[in-house]
Amino acid sequence: MTKNQSVLTWIENMKDLVNPDQVLWIDGSEEQLEALRKEACSTGEMIKLNEEKLPGCYLHRTAVNDVARVEGRTYICSKKEVDAGPTNNWMDPEKAYKMLYDIARGSYKGRTMYVIPYSMGPVGSPFSKIGIELTDSIYVVLNMAIMTRVGKAVVEALGDSNDWVRGLHCKCEINEEKRYICHFPEDNTIISVNSGYGGNVLLGKKCFALRIASFLGKNEGWMAEHMLILGVENPQGEIKYISAAFPSACGKTNLAMLIPPEGYKAKGYKVWTVGDDIAWMRIGPDGRLWAINPENGFFGVAPGTNNKSNPNALATTKSGTIFTNVAHNLDDNTVWWEGLDKNPPENAVDWKGNPWNGKTSDVKGAHPNSRFTAPAKNCPCISDEFDKGTGVPISAIVFGGRRAQTTPLVYQSRDWNNGVFVGSIMASETTAAATGAVGVLRHDPMAMKPFCGYNMGDYFAHWIEMGQKLGDKAPKIFNVNWFRLDDEGHFIWPGFGDNLRVLEWILKRCEGTVDAKETAIGYVPNAEDINLEGLEDFTIEDLKGILEVKNDEWTKEADEITEYFKTFDRLPQELKDQLEALKSRLQ
Ligand code: OXD
Ligand code: MN
């Protein structure tokens, strides 16, 4: 399929290493993908679902020990340890290559090597980057064909360039003890062994589009961020774009596909989805920050997705979708997960493959981190700009986390550097998207802690530098917290579609058409300026409660941040200054 010498040589070397029975280039054609689907069904790797109810949809179950990203076994293998920084595991590249090659050696014996040329971003867009993933898993091929643009057109766009990311995935024996997800940013290389779970093996996503790309972005003057991108269309038909970073499973996909409340709909407001997980952002010729979504599909968390929480996501999964680790309803050959509806199937198989009765069983039918891999083009609210490759101009950058207390519903940073500080102190209660304890507060700067491919201090410095380049064209930076709890542990803010009320305030701040109240941490809305029309069971007093900034709580927070900042070896002076300034404002 190509004469590109750098590609051919690398594939030849990898072939010698892993020793496949045969090599198959993925050309991106429907015929080839269909043949692979059939093959995967014949071996039991995938199950074809009800063609009437879920056309072109499949179910896959991973090994029970392989259901989430493994941050403890994810490494940045830069030459110098300090370049991986305090937030990453580091391994010496020479040692890592040797260890990985020893694990991978001969592991494709009896298997096919699939060669997947893929583009992150529309093929040929100036934002886009190309990768080649080698895998011995049809499941990976079929997921990559949804999540990225694959095939011949990508190889043609690459030509004889050496500017592409190498990715080797080997299932091996799915042995947890030998599972490694390793990144070699200085070599544009990713190697993943002993896993078959999406986040560890769809190398275009977290591994390339965030870890490797963040490093490329630092060196090339752009940004790869763990952000959704959405457009808010007002009744005049103008669309303003927002990008937003939240830690895993904080409702990013829901926000990206938000359905406006009735009152807003009636007035003509619409929300358009550009991306739900990753944004690549560059300074455009007009000096503003422009963003694309480098992905071509959504790898969303299934549990909790329903007709109320996210009807657009649910609609997106109705065809051409691969479900992973959800329950299988045997009565009509469809799928089910906790939070889909109140009617779990009785005659079903759980995510582990055991017979399951959803009415009587006390174990879960779907794994809490079960997923759907769905084509973006299925999404009823996909933006016209999604596939264009020119990107969208970003008016506001929003950070957020899951905080029961302290952090108000929304506040605006004082300026860009203060916004970088706000992003750097992001903290959230953990969820099931990664292995480890759930419900523990952890710092997750810009939601990039697990995804920054280099020293986090240098990453902050890169943000500050981008702000200097953007000058007065820089997007305004905000922080939101949808998750404040009352004394009984209930969420106070209704969330979901009603989050548009907060986005509206954010966009008004960007336009300079609404005032705000200055507090020690930044600007918070005057309660009257958030539209509560049509909200039931939520009063302006409730709103005032969750907008309140309590200086005693923030003094404690500042002490905690002081300790947290000590963990960074290359913290930019600007952020130290921001912390001191916050402390003095709190006095
Ligand atoms: C994801 C994650 O899968 O952030 O998107 O964990
Ligand atoms: Mn994510």
Side-chain angles (χ1 to χ4, degrees), residues 69 197 205-206 226 247-249 252 277 299 371 433-434 451:
R69 289 184 290 101
Y197 167 76
K205 195 175 179 60
K206 304 300 190 183
H226 191 200
S248 303
K252 257 180 41 231
D277 196 39
F299 183 62
R371 299 279 176 148
F451 307 119

Side-chain angles (χ1 to χ4, degrees), residues 292-305:
I292 64 156
N293 168 13
E295 300 191 279
N296 201 25
F298 306 119
F299 183 62
V301 176
T305 305

Side-chain angles (χ1 to χ4, degrees), residues 76-93:
I76 300 298
C77 308
S78 45
K79 286 197 188 81
K80 291 198 231 128
E81 180 167 7
V82 62
D83 290 333
T87 56
N88 283 309
N89 302 309
W90 175 81
M91 207 187 292
D92 172 65

